[in-house]
Each structure stands twice: as C-alpha cells, then as structure tokens.
Amino acid sequence: MIQDYFRSDLSDFKSYKVSKNDYKVRMDANECFSNLPQEIRMKIAWAIEECIFNRYPDAGASMVCELYAQYSNVKSINVMAGNGSDECIQIIANTFLNTGDKVAVQSPDFSMYGLYTRVAGGIPIEIPLGDEFKLDVDGFISIVNKEKVKIVFLSNPNNPTGGIIKRDDIIKIIEGCSCIVVIDEAYFEFYGETIVDKICAYENLIVLRTCSKIGLAAIRLGFLITSPILMGELKKVKPPYNVNAISQCIACVILKDSEIIYKNVERILLERKYLWQKLSNINGIKLYNAQANFILIGVENAQIMKQRLLDAGINIRSFTAITLQNCLRITIGSREENQCLINNISQENIGNI
Ligand code: PMP
C-alpha cells in the first residue's frame, strides 16, 4: 500500500486550514488592512522590469538582508532571510532538533512552533499561561531545564493573546534556560520593544521578524537574526534560493524607503486605539492586552458571535483550543471595517448571546 511509505508519526496531522478569503471584511489573518499606495506599486513595477528572470536569485538575499539590518539596527552578517518567518521557524527546528528532542512553547502561542517541531521529529511541550494569559517566568524556566528542552519558542507580543513579556523577563528567560531561545517578534512594530540588541550578548538567542504584518504579506518574507555562531549552523540547513527574485526586488524598494512601513504602522496603531475604545464600550466583551495588530476578546459564546459576523460578511479568528474557549481574535481593520464590525457586535447582539 502506498500508505506504508507515509510517516506514521504524522498520521494525526491536519493540513493548515486557511479560511476562505472571499469575505467583504477580512479581520482574521493579522495582515495590514491597506494595500501599498499606487505610486509605490508603480515603483515596484519599474523595479521588477529590471529583474533578471533567467537566473536564480541571490541565494542569500544579500541586499535585502543588508537593508533589513539597517532597518533593525544590526549587522547584515546577523540576518538571514526566509520565505516568510514560517520558513525561519522550520529552519531552526531542522537545524537543532534530533528525533525526540523537546521544544518548549507557551499555550496558547503561534501554532507553527509545535508543528515544525513535530515535522523535525521533536516533541513540543506546552506550558500553559496563567490568569490573564500571563507567563510564570520562573516556573517556565524551571520546566525548560528540568525537561532538558533544546529550543524555546516564544512570540512577543504573543499571537493570539496580544500580551507581552517584559524585557527583564525575556532576559531572565535567555539567561535562565539552558537551551536555544527564539523570541519571535512578528508584531514588534506594534509594540516597539525588541531584544534584537542582545543577539551578540547571548549566544543562545535568535530573534524572528516578518514583513507580513507591515504591508507585505503577499511577498512571503521573514528574517532570522542571531549571532555568527548560531548563524553558521543555521546556514547549513537553509535552502538555497529560498527567497525568490521578485520578493527580493519588492523588499528592496520598500526597505529603501522605510517611511512606507512607519506610515502603515502608524495607521494601524491609530485604528487599534479606535477599535479598543469602541469595543470597551460594549457590555459583555472582555478585552485582553493588545500590543499587536489585533485585539483578543472574550465573549460568552464565541461560535455564535463568529457566525453572526460571518453572516454579515466579516471574518474574524476563532479557536478550537480549550485555553481559548470563547475567545475571538480581531485583526485591526480600516476605519470603515472597524465600524462595520462594531455595528454588528452591538449591545443588543451581546445581550442575545
Ligand atoms: N510568528 C508569529 C507569531 C505569527 O503570528 C506569524 C503569522 N501569523 C508568523 C510568525 C509567520 O509569519 P510569516 O508570514 O512571516 O510566515
């Protein structure tokens, strides 16, 4: 049977479900709500016209890494580009995990850490967050060391909670955990705090970043930032040519003019403030700390609310995990989208749930 050739340890895997994207209001995937302005798209079109299509792209995306290094105040030798930061997560798992090695993650946190751990033959250990999705830092460190974990993955700000771990605690984790510590700063721009300045101070630290949340989800570009010692190992596993020439070309246009990114972030932050205020006026909704480009809310019946919104053409993120029962994650939208959402979660609706 052909199934005899399949990996038995992947038999219970489900392929990553992406919801259909034909809703009028898409507030489910933590993307930036607006497309690039037309004049920038024209600039990109001209840049693509110059692309060399018959040759493989720059294998290490060196120009992109150089520009991203400037953007994030590090040296380019510390930066590796990936086909989305998803690929960076996979490269990390594949580089350091032997079969049966343990990886510590918070629960809840970004699901791909556990998935790529398992694909690499590792074992994810989920450490539940406490009240208000707070991390017990000392407890976390002690489990990591007791279990002889090889890698820790933490998103900061956390997806999906929107909460953060303060700098002192991040440092405590890096210093206290006897393993590689990956701090995923996918939502850094909406929080403003980073640990990237410490990559050379701690040889076990890797920082992840992405362009997906700041207006470039389509081009699939993420970054891994670390010290030369870990970088050398990671480079053994990185596929050559993993960032295609078109994405490299587009990223260069944008990163040469980072004002475009700052403007996107500024508008998202303004809308986050607006949406937060409007949601906080509605009875029956619990708001969690929102330091990213989304707001996690708690409601009495998430499934009913999600369906009502879908019926109105608004897609937001619901969850199956027990820890997120009756939570919904709302990506910050444009003013019109936010208003549309608010109108549909009116006081009367909440009363009926
Ligand atoms: N890390 C976190 C915490 C995320 O939320 C996401 C995207 N949802 C990613 C990484 C992956 O981002 P990318 O689009 O760069 O693969």
Side-chain angles (χ1 to χ4, degrees):
M1 265 203 334
I2 192 71
Q3 281 79 3
D4 294 341
Y5 301 106
F6 294 0
R7 275 177 61 173
S8 53
D9 59 340
L10 301 189
S11 63
D12 65 333
F13 264 52
K14 307 249 180 320
S15 46
Y16 191 88
K17 281 267 175 310
V18 177
S19 62
K20 264 184 35 210
N21 268 339
D22 52 4
Y23 292 97
K24 190 175 70 197
V25 177
R26 287 158 56 176
M27 303 174 95
D28 63 318
N30 296 347
E31 300 144 330
C32 174
F33 60 75
S34 57
N35 196 1
L36 293 170
Q38 207 205 354
E39 72 268 21
I40 308 294
R41 300 204 310 267
M42 286 312 290
K43 240 177 154 175
I44 288 171
W46 285 114
I48 290 176
E49 205 265 330
E50 301 272 300
C51 260
I52 299 167
F53 285 90
N54 59 318
R55 302 290 177 195
Y56 287 109
D58 176 347
S62 52
M63 189 60 182
V64 176
C65 289
E66 175 65 48
L67 290 165
Y68 198 79
Q70 284 169 25
Y71 171 76
S72 46
N73 261 323
V74 295
K75 294 204 180 91
S76 58
I77 51 158
N78 300 118
V79 180
M80 177 193 281
N83 190 339
S85 53
D86 261 356
E87 190 191 35
C88 299
I89 298 167
Q90 187 165 31
I91 292 171
I92 295 168
N94 289 344
T95 302
F96 298 110
L97 296 179
N98 290 307
T99 306
D101 279 345
K102 293 176 183 169
V103 169
V105 296
Q106 308 172 101
S107 172
D109 203 340
F110 185 45
S111 61
M112 299 309 273
Y113 309 143
L115 189 129
Y116 286 131
T117 295
R118 291 191 57 196
V119 172
I123 302 166
I125 298 191
E126 292 194 357
I127 304 177
L129 294 175
D131 285 352
E132 296 289 313
F133 298 124
K134 275 260 170 317
L135 177 70
D136 164 13
V137 175
D138 293 319
F140 184 84
I141 295 171
S142 108
I143 295 172
V144 165
N145 291 335
K146 202 170 95 220
E147 294 282 346
K148 300 203 175 2
V149 159
K150 194 93 168 270
I151 310 175
V152 160
F153 282 102
L154 300 172
S155 64
N156 193 43
N158 179 299
N159 175 17
T161 75
I164 51 107
I165 306 170
K166 292 213 174 79
R167 185 177 172 88
D168 287 354
D169 284 332
I170 291 283
I171 289 179
K172 204 168 174 187
I173 291 167
I174 300 165
E175 287 181 351
C177 293
S178 306
C179 66
I180 290 161
V181 176
V182 182
I183 305 297
D184 182 348
E185 297 185 347
Y187 301 95
F188 149 73
E189 280 84 357
F190 314 103
Y191 171 44
E193 294 268 335
T194 176
I195 200 70
V196 86
D197 53 299
K198 291 285 184 193
I199 45 152
C200 288
Y202 297 109
E203 62 174 15
N204 60 336
L205 172 62
I206 302 176
V207 174
L208 295 179
R209 294 280 188 85
T210 180
C211 289
S212 298
K213 315 299 168 191
I214 50 181
L216 292 174
I219 72 169
R220 306 300 298 124
L221 183 65
F223 297 95
L224 177 164
I225 308 175
T226 192
S227 61
I229 182 151
L230 289 189
M231 189 61 91
E233 230 20 50
L234 289 155
K235 278 192 174 162
K236 294 182 188 170
V237 170
K238 180 188 98 67
Y241 316 122
N242 57 331
V243 180
N244 73 70
I246 311 295
S247 292
Q248 290 192 37
C249 172
I250 297 169
C252 285
V253 172
I254 304 297
L255 290 168
K256 277 180 192 157
D257 184 4
S258 26
E259 266 308 303
I260 303 165
I261 298 173
Y262 302 140
K263 275 193 193 141
N264 273 347
V265 172
E266 202 182 322
R267 282 181 304 136
I268 291 168
L269 291 180
L270 203 74
E271 287 308 314
R272 183 174 78 186
K273 197 169 166 198
Y274 172 81
L275 187 58
W276 174 277
Q277 267 171 0
K278 292 287 174 192
L279 286 169
S280 62
N281 288 335
I282 302 176
N283 285 332
I285 291 194
K286 177 177 171 51
L287 293 175
Y288 290 93
N289 189 10
Q291 300 287 340
N293 65 345
F294 55 83
I295 300 177
L296 187 77
I297 62 169
V299 294
E300 213 173 309
N301 190 323
Q303 288 320 317
I304 292 178
M305 186 180 285
K306 159 107 178 176
Q307 194 51 52
R308 275 189 190 166
L309 291 171
L310 283 179
D311 293 344
I314 305 167
N315 194 12
I316 60 171
R317 182 77 151 81
S318 58
F319 303 93
T320 48
I322 240 25
T323 41
L324 292 165
Q325 231 179 11
N326 290 328
C327 286
L328 293 163
R329 193 193 66 196
I330 304 167
T331 303
I332 309 301
S334 65
R335 180 60 54 100
E336 296 70 40
E337 289 170 333
N338 293 334
Q339 252 158 7
C340 178
L341 177 102
I342 294 296
N343 293 343
N344 280 282
I345 326 180
S346 64
Q347 205 116 12
E348 305 85 82
N349 281 348
I350 296 288
N352 293 336
I353 285 172

